[in-house]
Amino acid sequence: MSQKVLLSSKEINIILHRLACQLLENHLSFENTVLIGIQPRGKFLAQRLTKILKEEYKVKQIDLGFLDITFYRDDFRRGDKTLEATKTKIDFLIEDKNVVLIDDVLYTGRSINAALTALQSFGRPKDVELLCLIDRRFSRHLPIQPNYRGRQVDAINDEKVKVMWEENDGEDIIYLVNR
Protein backbone atom coordinates (compact mmCIF):
# COMPACT_ATOMS: atom_id res chain seq x y z
CA MET A 1 0.00 0.00 0.00
CA SER A 2 1.53 3.30 -1.10
CA GLN A 3 0.37 6.83 -0.49
CA LYS A 4 1.17 10.25 -1.85
CA VAL A 5 0.44 13.63 -0.33
CA LEU A 6 -2.54 15.22 -2.03
CA LEU A 7 -2.70 18.37 0.13
CA SER A 8 -0.29 19.65 2.76
CA SER A 9 -1.29 21.48 5.92
CA LYS A 10 -0.60 24.85 4.26
CA GLU A 11 -2.71 23.96 1.21
CA ILE A 12 -5.56 22.75 3.44
CA ASN A 13 -5.45 26.03 5.36
CA ILE A 14 -5.66 28.05 2.14
CA ILE A 15 -8.62 25.97 0.93
CA LEU A 16 -10.42 26.31 4.27
CA HIS A 17 -10.12 30.10 4.09
CA ARG A 18 -11.42 30.11 0.52
CA LEU A 19 -14.39 27.95 1.50
CA ALA A 20 -15.10 30.22 4.48
CA CYS A 21 -15.07 33.25 2.17
CA GLN A 22 -17.44 31.55 -0.27
CA LEU A 23 -19.84 30.75 2.57
CA LEU A 24 -19.59 34.35 3.78
CA GLU A 25 -20.34 35.70 0.29
CA ASN A 26 -23.53 33.65 0.07
CA HIS A 27 -24.76 33.83 3.66
CA LEU A 28 -23.36 37.12 5.09
CA SER A 29 -24.68 37.20 8.68
CA PHE A 30 -25.62 33.50 8.95
CA GLU A 31 -28.85 34.46 10.75
CA ASN A 32 -30.89 32.15 8.49
CA THR A 33 -28.11 29.65 7.79
CA VAL A 34 -26.96 26.62 9.79
CA LEU A 35 -23.88 24.46 9.29
CA ILE A 36 -24.20 20.72 9.82
CA GLY A 37 -21.15 18.46 9.78
CA ILE A 38 -21.80 14.86 8.74
CA GLN A 39 -20.40 12.50 11.37
CA PRO A 40 -17.78 11.32 11.81
CA ARG A 41 -15.27 13.12 9.57
CA GLY A 42 -17.32 16.12 8.40
CA LYS A 43 -17.45 17.26 12.02
CA PHE A 44 -13.80 18.39 11.97
CA LEU A 45 -14.24 20.35 8.74
CA ALA A 46 -17.42 22.03 10.05
CA GLN A 47 -15.74 22.98 13.32
CA ARG A 48 -12.70 24.39 11.54
CA LEU A 49 -14.81 26.47 9.14
CA THR A 50 -16.91 27.80 12.02
CA LYS A 51 -13.76 28.80 13.89
CA ILE A 52 -12.39 30.65 10.86
CA LEU A 53 -15.70 32.44 10.25
CA LYS A 54 -15.99 33.55 13.88
CA GLU A 55 -12.37 34.42 14.65
CA GLU A 56 -11.08 35.78 11.37
CA TYR A 57 -14.22 37.11 9.68
CA LYS A 58 -16.02 38.18 12.89
CA VAL A 59 -19.31 36.36 12.24
CA LYS A 60 -21.05 36.73 15.60
CA GLN A 61 -23.40 33.75 15.64
CA ILE A 62 -23.28 30.49 13.68
CA ASP A 63 -25.51 27.53 14.45
CA LEU A 64 -23.31 24.43 14.15
CA GLY A 65 -24.63 20.90 14.41
CA PHE A 66 -23.47 17.36 13.76
CA LEU A 67 -25.52 14.67 12.01
CA ASP A 68 -25.03 10.93 12.39
CA ILE A 69 -26.19 9.05 9.27
CA THR A 70 -25.30 5.49 10.30
CA PHE A 71 -28.84 4.10 10.37
CA TYR A 72 -29.89 5.97 7.23
CA ARG A 73 -27.20 4.45 5.00
CA ASP A 74 -28.38 2.09 2.26
CA ASP A 75 -25.49 -0.26 3.08
CA PHE A 76 -26.27 -0.36 6.80
CA ARG A 77 -26.96 -4.12 6.92
CA ARG A 78 -24.81 -5.24 3.97
CA GLY A 79 -21.32 -5.53 5.38
CA ASP A 80 -19.70 -8.01 7.73
CA LYS A 81 -18.49 -5.34 10.12
CA THR A 82 -20.84 -3.75 12.59
CA LEU A 83 -21.26 -0.04 12.03
CA GLU A 84 -20.92 2.15 15.10
CA ALA A 85 -23.16 5.16 15.43
CA THR A 86 -21.83 8.52 16.55
CA LYS A 87 -23.84 11.28 18.13
CA THR A 88 -26.23 13.66 16.41
CA LYS A 89 -26.20 17.13 17.94
CA ILE A 90 -28.63 19.57 16.36
CA ASP A 91 -29.96 21.81 19.11
CA PHE A 92 -31.59 24.42 16.87
CA LEU A 93 -34.45 24.50 14.37
CA ILE A 94 -33.75 23.94 10.69
CA GLU A 95 -37.31 24.71 9.58
CA ASP A 96 -37.14 27.34 6.79
CA LYS A 97 -33.37 27.75 7.29
CA ASN A 98 -30.58 27.47 4.77
CA VAL A 99 -28.68 24.30 5.67
CA VAL A 100 -25.10 23.72 4.58
CA LEU A 101 -24.20 20.02 4.88
CA ILE A 102 -20.46 19.56 5.35
CA ASP A 103 -18.39 16.44 4.70
CA ASP A 104 -14.72 15.80 4.08
CA VAL A 105 -14.91 13.61 0.96
CA LEU A 106 -17.70 13.34 -1.62
CA TYR A 107 -17.34 9.94 -3.24
CA THR A 108 -20.41 7.98 -4.41
CA GLY A 109 -22.98 10.41 -3.03
CA ARG A 110 -24.60 7.75 -0.83
CA SER A 111 -23.58 9.43 2.44
CA ILE A 112 -25.12 12.69 1.28
CA ASN A 113 -28.29 10.86 0.27
CA ALA A 114 -28.43 9.36 3.78
CA ALA A 115 -27.81 12.81 5.31
CA LEU A 116 -30.68 14.32 3.32
CA THR A 117 -32.98 11.57 4.58
CA ALA A 118 -31.79 11.98 8.18
CA LEU A 119 -32.20 15.76 7.96
CA GLN A 120 -35.93 15.35 7.31
CA SER A 121 -36.34 14.22 10.93
CA PHE A 122 -35.44 17.75 12.03
CA GLY A 123 -37.83 19.69 9.82
CA ARG A 124 -38.03 21.13 6.35
CA PRO A 125 -35.16 23.45 5.41
CA LYS A 126 -35.67 26.31 2.99
CA ASP A 127 -32.56 25.28 1.06
CA VAL A 128 -29.82 22.66 1.37
CA GLU A 129 -26.29 23.16 0.07
CA LEU A 130 -23.33 20.81 0.13
CA LEU A 131 -19.75 21.68 1.02
CA CYS A 132 -16.97 19.11 0.71
CA LEU A 133 -13.22 19.37 1.06
CA ILE A 134 -12.47 16.71 -1.57
CA ASP A 135 -14.72 15.91 -4.54
CA ARG A 136 -13.98 12.57 -6.20
CA ARG A 137 -15.94 13.63 -9.24
CA PHE A 138 -15.79 10.50 -11.41
CA SER A 139 -16.97 8.11 -8.69
CA ARG A 140 -20.57 9.21 -8.23
CA HIS A 141 -23.39 6.63 -8.00
CA LEU A 142 -26.06 9.30 -7.44
CA PRO A 143 -26.62 12.68 -9.13
CA ILE A 144 -25.23 14.73 -6.23
CA GLN A 145 -22.83 17.65 -6.72
CA PRO A 146 -21.28 20.04 -4.17
CA ASN A 147 -22.10 23.75 -4.07
CA TYR A 148 -18.69 24.36 -2.49
CA ARG A 149 -15.63 22.19 -3.06
CA GLY A 150 -12.11 22.44 -1.82
CA ARG A 151 -10.38 20.34 -4.46
CA GLN A 152 -11.48 17.99 -7.22
CA VAL A 153 -9.60 14.72 -7.31
CA ASP A 154 -9.57 12.20 -10.11
CA ALA A 155 -8.96 8.96 -8.24
CA ILE A 156 -9.54 5.52 -9.65
CA ASN A 157 -11.62 3.01 -7.70
CA ASP A 158 -8.78 1.19 -5.96
CA GLU A 159 -7.46 4.49 -4.61
CA LYS A 160 -8.69 6.03 -1.38
CA VAL A 161 -8.59 9.63 -0.21
CA LYS A 162 -7.48 9.78 3.42
CA VAL A 163 -8.15 13.07 5.22
CA MET A 164 -6.32 13.61 8.48
CA TRP A 165 -7.17 16.41 10.92
CA GLU A 166 -4.86 17.80 13.58
CA GLU A 167 -7.66 17.55 16.16
CA ASN A 168 -8.12 13.84 15.57
CA ASP A 169 -5.03 12.49 13.82
CA GLY A 170 -2.26 14.82 14.99
CA GLU A 171 -1.73 16.67 11.70
CA ASP A 172 -3.58 18.26 8.80
CA ILE A 173 -2.74 16.33 5.64
CA ILE A 174 -4.58 14.55 2.85
CA TYR A 175 -3.22 11.43 1.17
CA LEU A 176 -4.17 9.51 -1.94
CA VAL A 177 -3.70 5.89 -0.92
CA ASN A 178 -3.31 2.89 -3.27
CA ARG A 179 -4.88 -0.18 -1.70
Side-chain angles (χ1 to χ4, degrees):
M1 179 165 73
S2 66
Q3 62 186 23
K4 80 172 196 181
V5 175
L6 208 54
L7 294 173
S8 68
S9 178
K10 183 176 181 179
E11 291 168 314
I12 292 170
N13 192 41
I14 291 167
I15 288 171
L16 292 178
H17 280 79
R18 177 174 48 81
L19 290 170
C21 286
Q22 289 173 339
L23 286 171
L24 200 54
E25 281 179 28
N26 292 329
H27 299 284
L28 294 176
S29 70
F30 284 84
E31 66 186 37
N32 289 314
T33 300
V34 301
L35 304 181
I36 298 180
I38 299 173
Q39 291 274 32
R41 310 285 303 176
K43 173 183 177 179
F44 304 110
L45 177 57
Q47 288 173 323
R48 194 74 70 86
L49 287 169
T50 301
K51 182 178 179 183
I52 291 169
L53 287 165
K54 284 183 173 180
E55 293 178 4
E56 298 186 31
Y57 297 103
K58 307 303 180 209
V59 176
K60 289 180 176 57
Q61 174 61 37
I62 300 175
D63 287 324
L64 172 63
F66 308 113
L67 182 65
D68 177 64
I69 60 166
T70 304
F71 301 116
Y72 294 92
R73 295 178 57 93
D74 62 1
D75 62 353
F76 173 61
R77 299 195 190 278
R78 291 183 183 247
D80 292 335
K81 68 178 182 177
T82 305
L83 295 176
E84 288 187 35
T86 51
K87 192 172 185 178
T88 290
K89 180 189 168 284
I90 299 177
D91 53 5
F92 46 82
L93 297 175
I94 67 164
E95 194 75 30
D96 292 323
K97 297 275 188 164
N98 298 310
V99 173
V100 180
L101 285 174
I102 300 173
D103 206 2
D104 60 348
V105 179
L106 175 58
Y107 183 32
T108 64
R110 293 183 184 278
S111 292
I112 305 307
N113 189 48
L116 291 168
T117 303
L119 204 56
Q120 291 173 356
S121 302
F122 294 92
R124 185 176 182 202
K126 177 182 174 190
D127 189 37
V128 179
E129 295 179 329
L130 175 60
L131 181 148
C132 65
L133 184 59
I134 302 293
D135 176 11
R136 291 186 59 169
R137 63 182 174 162
F138 295 130
S139 305
R140 217 76 80 239
H141 294 178
L142 299 170
I144 292 174
Q145 298 300 322
N147 301 84
Y148 311 93
R149 74 172 53 89
R151 173 74 55 92
Q152 278 187 333
V153 175
D154 299 334
I156 54 179
N157 287 334
D158 63 340
E159 294 176 320
K160 179 181 178 178
V161 175
K162 183 177 176 184
V163 179
M164 300 181 74
W165 294 105
E166 185 176 333
E167 301 90 307
N168 191 59
D169 307 298
E171 67 176 330
D172 288 340
I173 193 161
I174 301 175
Y175 294 107
L176 185 61
V177 180
N178 288 317
R179 295 184 228 185

